[in-house]
Amino acid sequence: MKASLLYPSQCYLGEGPLWHAERKSCFWVDIENGVLYEYHWLSKQINHWKFDGKLSMVLEGKNNHLILALNRSISKFNLEFGSLELLADIEKELTENRCNDGACDSHGRLWVGTMHLQHNNGAGSLYCIDHNLEVYKKVGKVTISNGLAWSPDYKRMYYIDSPTQLVRSFFFNEESGEIKFEKIVIRVPVEMGTPDGMAIDEEGMLWIAQWGGFGVYRWNPDSGKLIEQVKIPVPNVTSCAFAGEQLDHLIITTARENLSEQQLKKYPESGDVFCVHTSVKGMASYKCLL
């Protein structure tokens, strides 16, 4: 499969794609520039908002709000009035860390990971924030906390710490939010890029954006085998999400970060957002109930 251009956003570090069913639009962020984008699926119109800090995550909240990760905190953004309300600090004392990727589970709890600004080994963690805004550390000694997904039966959580080249499976208690490491389900060869963000389809297969790998790769977490690839005309592919009213399109973010002038001339669409129609539907994302 080959993806086509959705929008030429030219993000320095595009990330966090989200399908918002009520608004019939896609959101994504440019982390380093603190910009939030909204692409209206039908009209193809674009909105954008600028924030002070590194904006790494956007999730759907309640009552026309979005949940954002800014630097080391989680905030609620009112789309109607443009107001921002702080909900929780993650690692207030760790000034060299920032939040990275995040997702919401079936009970509306927020899961978000952190990382060191210089990618220091083991300096980050994975946290869960419940409805009372209590913050719980779930996985420690993480380097670049990235993709999160839950199996269609919600009995497992899949998680990526990018430099490990691995996708790990955890037993997941849907009621309590407790996790327990099960096993390594996917090992991504270095020559295929580094695993970054991911999405899951209704067949339980994982679609993984692979930095340096020119694509999104569909993997079987039961066998650990590669099924197919979505080719992207840029090297640094960062994340993906199922979108569209039937959840049968995959939107894909990319980055210009770490590319030389020569590479940017060779791959001028780096930082843009791409889209591909898929033969399988994705799993719907849940609202964050913070």
Side-chain angles (χ1 to χ4, degrees):
M1 289 189 291
K2 201 170 185 178
S4 58
L5 182 69
L6 181 74
Y7 182 74
S9 54
Q10 290 287 285
C11 293
Y12 184 74
L13 183 51
E15 260 286 5
L18 167 75
W19 169 249
H20 195 299
E22 289 181 17
R23 292 173 70 92
K24 291 184 173 57
S25 63
C26 305
F27 288 91
W28 67 89
V29 301
D30 184 351
I31 294 179
E32 296 296 325
N33 290 314
V35 179
L36 171 67
Y37 291 88
E38 180 181 20
Y39 175 92
H40 291 276
W41 197 250
L42 300 178
S43 69
K44 298 180 170 50
Q45 291 184 324
I46 280 279
N47 294 331
H48 67 273
W49 299 264
K50 180 77 168 70
F51 296 87
D52 184 18
K54 297 182 189 297
L55 174 64
S56 63
M57 179 201 77
V58 52
L59 297 174
E60 184 178 354
K62 299 179 291 185
N63 303 323
N64 208 32
H65 285 82
L66 298 176
I67 304 299
L68 307 180
L70 267 167
N71 297 323
R72 297 176 307 284
S73 65
I74 303 300
S75 296
K76 184 165 62 172
F77 178 62
N78 187 311
L79 279 162
E80 184 178 356
F81 301 109
S83 56
L84 195 66
E85 176 188 345
L86 177 67
L87 294 178
D89 287 312
I90 304 296
E91 292 177 335
K92 194 172 185 179
E93 73 288 355
L94 300 179
T95 57
E96 293 299 306
N97 277 15
R98 69 164 173 85
C99 292
N100 202 40
D101 208 351
C104 192
D105 69 25
S106 58
H107 279 231
R109 292 173 293 242
L110 171 63
W111 295 71
V112 61
T114 60
M115 58 179 283
H116 192 274
L117 294 173
Q118 304 303 320
H119 302 177
N120 287 4
N121 186 52
S125 299
L126 175 67
Y127 296 90
C128 178
I129 304 175
D130 68 14
H131 306 144
N132 298 318
L133 301 180
E134 295 289 335
V135 181
Y136 300 95
K137 183 187 287 190
K138 295 293 189 175
V139 182
K141 297 184 178 178
V142 171
T143 302
I144 302 179
S145 186
N146 256 315
L148 283 160
W150 284 266
S151 60
D153 63 5
Y154 302 106
K155 292 183 178 178
R156 283 174 174 80
M157 184 185 82
Y158 301 110
Y159 177 55
I160 293 171
D161 178 8
S162 289
T164 66
Q165 298 290 131
L166 306 173
V167 180
R168 287 184 281 172
S169 171
F170 292 80
F171 292 117
F172 179 69
N173 185 313
E174 194 177 3
E175 292 300 319
S176 69
E178 291 301 315
I179 60 172
K180 183 180 180 182
F181 175 72
E182 180 190 14
K183 60 183 178 179
I184 293 165
V185 291
I186 296 165
R187 299 176 185 270
V188 177
V190 174
E191 59 270 21
M192 290 171 58
T194 299
D196 200 322
M198 68 176 163
I200 193 164
D201 64 36
E202 58 184 13
E203 294 179 358
M205 303 298 106
L206 294 171
W207 298 68
I208 302 176
Q210 294 178 200
W211 179 280
F214 290 87
V216 174
Y217 295 72
R218 187 181 186 225
W219 296 84
N220 185 329
D222 296 324
S223 66
K225 292 183 178 179
L226 177 64
I227 302 170
E228 58 186 322
Q229 178 189 355
V230 179
K231 294 181 180 179
I232 313 293
V234 305
N236 293 342
V237 184
T238 58
S239 194
C240 58
F242 283 95
E245 293 183 73
Q246 303 301 317
L247 292 177
D248 58 355
H249 289 75
L250 198 71
I251 53 170
I252 301 157
T253 52
T254 68
R256 300 171 66 81
E257 185 182 44
N258 295 345
L259 296 179
S260 66
E261 285 187 25
Q262 186 176 0
Q263 288 173 310
L264 288 172
K265 285 180 182 178
K266 188 174 181 180
Y267 309 113
E269 293 178 300
S270 293
D272 291 347
V273 178
F274 297 85
C275 184
V276 65
H277 184 264
T278 57
S279 58
V280 63
K281 295 180 181 180
M283 296 287 294
S285 59
Y286 284 88
K287 284 185 181 180
C288 194
L289 302 180
L290 301 188

